[in-house]
Amino acid sequence: MFKKMPVFLLMLLASVSTLAGAEEWRKTFSVTEKPELRVNANDADIHVYASDRKDIEAVVTTHNDKIGPNAVRINDHQSGNRIDIDIHVPQFHILNFRSHTVKIELAIPKQADVDLHSGDGAITAEALNGNISLTSGDGNIRVDNANGSLTLESGDGRIECRGVNGRLRAETKDGAMRIDGVFSDLDLHTGDGRIDAQVQSGSKMGSTWSVRSGDGSITLALPDGFSADLDAHTGDGHISVDFPVTVQGGALRQNEIRGKLNNGGPTLEMRSGDGNITVRRG
């Protein structure tokens, strides 16, 4: 009986592979002003990009899954310029050996407020402008060329941003961060990963900035002339700063620095539990 089991499994694999196929759901939503788009998926990769179009097009593609009431369920609702799309992917039996993927592609106008959530998938966003919220329970998040207010959260993935202009709050519990842009507000937090952040010329601090890693090193590149009140501390690493620091009643030690960068300003808080902190010219 047990000797025949591998053959049985191979036959089962061969039989289900012949059922491989893809299905697609596509819908276009007409909008008259700046739209609000919310998408919630329990298990799917999401790709959103903006262009000169005046409407929103949503495309859901499945691989080895049907779309319907007893399979991948899609519910959508529009109220004026607000659009809500919910995608539920069923959990499969352990003996179902096929590879299952669900992908969501969203084409939107240049100006839009976006709230996207995937329980177990990656999120990629391009050329967005507006209030942007991207959340993944177990996937990477990547944003290119976005303007506005961004909130990015991943439970177990890395976060990458390039060409961001505006406010950025990013958090990942178990992943690294690579950030690049012009910022008016910055709040970065990773529980167990490295942070590399490039602050471009034109950035201005309107309030406290915070860059924290529970168990990773931090490298922050700042433009010449950048001014802030630096408050940096690492539990088990060292700190290096490539700027003049004025210490008056603050601290200047290997693992702690509190003082003014250039002319000083709002507080730049940097914390690492077990990593080095580097502030360099960029």
Side-chain angles (χ1 to χ4, degrees):
M1 175 69 179
F2 292 102
K3 291 183 179 179
K4 294 182 180 180
M5 184 62 70
V7 177
F8 167 75
L9 292 177
L10 288 174
M11 293 176 63
L12 179 60
L13 284 170
S15 66
V16 298
S17 65
T18 61
L19 301 176
E23 288 200 7
E24 180 183 282
W25 176 92
R26 180 186 298 265
K27 189 167 183 178
T28 300
F29 302 87
S30 297
V31 293
T32 57
E33 299 176 359
K34 182 179 181 180
E36 300 177 36
L37 174 63
R38 187 193 68 85
V39 176
N40 184 44
N42 67 321
D43 185 7
D45 292 336
I46 303 175
H47 177 208
V48 57
Y49 60 94
S51 65
D52 289 328
R53 66 186 305 135
K54 304 299 183 182
D55 55 14
I56 291 177
E57 183 180 55
V59 181
V60 179
T61 305
T62 68
H63 177 65
N64 283 328
D65 274 314
K66 297 290 185 180
I67 297 176
N70 298 318
V72 176
R73 299 196 305 270
I74 304 173
N75 295 308
D76 65 276
H77 175 73
Q78 181 172 4
S79 177
N81 290 304
R82 178 182 171 88
I83 298 160
D84 293 87
I85 304 174
D86 291 283
I87 299 100
H88 183 268
V89 182
Q91 302 301 310
F92 300 102
H93 194 272
I94 191 170
L95 290 180
N96 195 330
F97 296 99
R98 292 178 296 169
S99 173
H100 300 264
T101 59
V102 177
K103 296 182 179 180
I104 305 167
E105 189 163 346
L106 305 161
I108 67 175
K110 285 186 175 180
Q111 297 290 334
D113 292 338
V114 174
D115 184 357
L116 309 180
H117 180 274
S118 177
D120 189 18
I123 301 177
T124 305
E126 301 176 55
L128 305 187
N129 296 271
N131 296 313
I132 303 159
S133 178
L134 310 178
T135 305
S136 176
D138 190 23
N140 300 328
I141 297 176
R142 176 165 178 166
V143 178
D144 291 330
N145 302 319
N147 296 276
S149 179
L150 287 82
T151 301
L152 314 177
E153 297 183 16
S154 177
D156 190 22
R158 67 180 179 272
I159 294 178
E160 298 183 49
C161 295
R162 297 188 303 178
V164 173
N165 191 330
R167 304 175 59 188
L168 173 62
R169 176 185 175 273
E171 179 175 2
T172 174
K173 292 182 175 62
D174 191 20
M177 284 190 193
R178 186 176 295 274
I179 307 297
D180 185 309
V182 177
F183 304 103
S184 58
D185 190 21
L186 192 63
D187 185 354
L188 309 177
H189 182 208
T190 175
D192 188 22
R194 177 184 178 89
I195 297 177
D196 288 289
Q198 175 80 50
V199 176
Q200 298 289 355
S201 179
S203 299
K204 294 183 179 180
M205 298 179 67
S207 59
T208 297
W209 287 12
S210 181
V211 183
R212 296 164 290 155
S213 176
D215 191 24
S217 61
I218 298 172
T219 299
L220 180 65
L222 301 173
D224 284 336
F226 191 88
S227 295
D229 284 355
L230 178 64
D231 181 359
H233 178 85
T234 174
D236 192 21
H238 67 269
I239 300 173
S240 61
V241 181
D242 190 23
F243 284 87
V245 179
T246 303
V247 178
Q248 295 179 345
L252 183 58
R253 293 188 287 271
Q254 180 175 329
N255 71 329
E256 184 177 18
I257 294 179
R258 293 199 306 272
K260 294 184 180 297
L261 288 180
N262 292 314
N263 297 322
T267 300
L268 172 57
E269 179 188 64
M270 304 181 70
R271 295 287 187 271
S272 177
D274 190 25
N276 298 329
I277 295 176
T278 302
V279 182
R280 63 175 180 85
R281 299 178 188 270

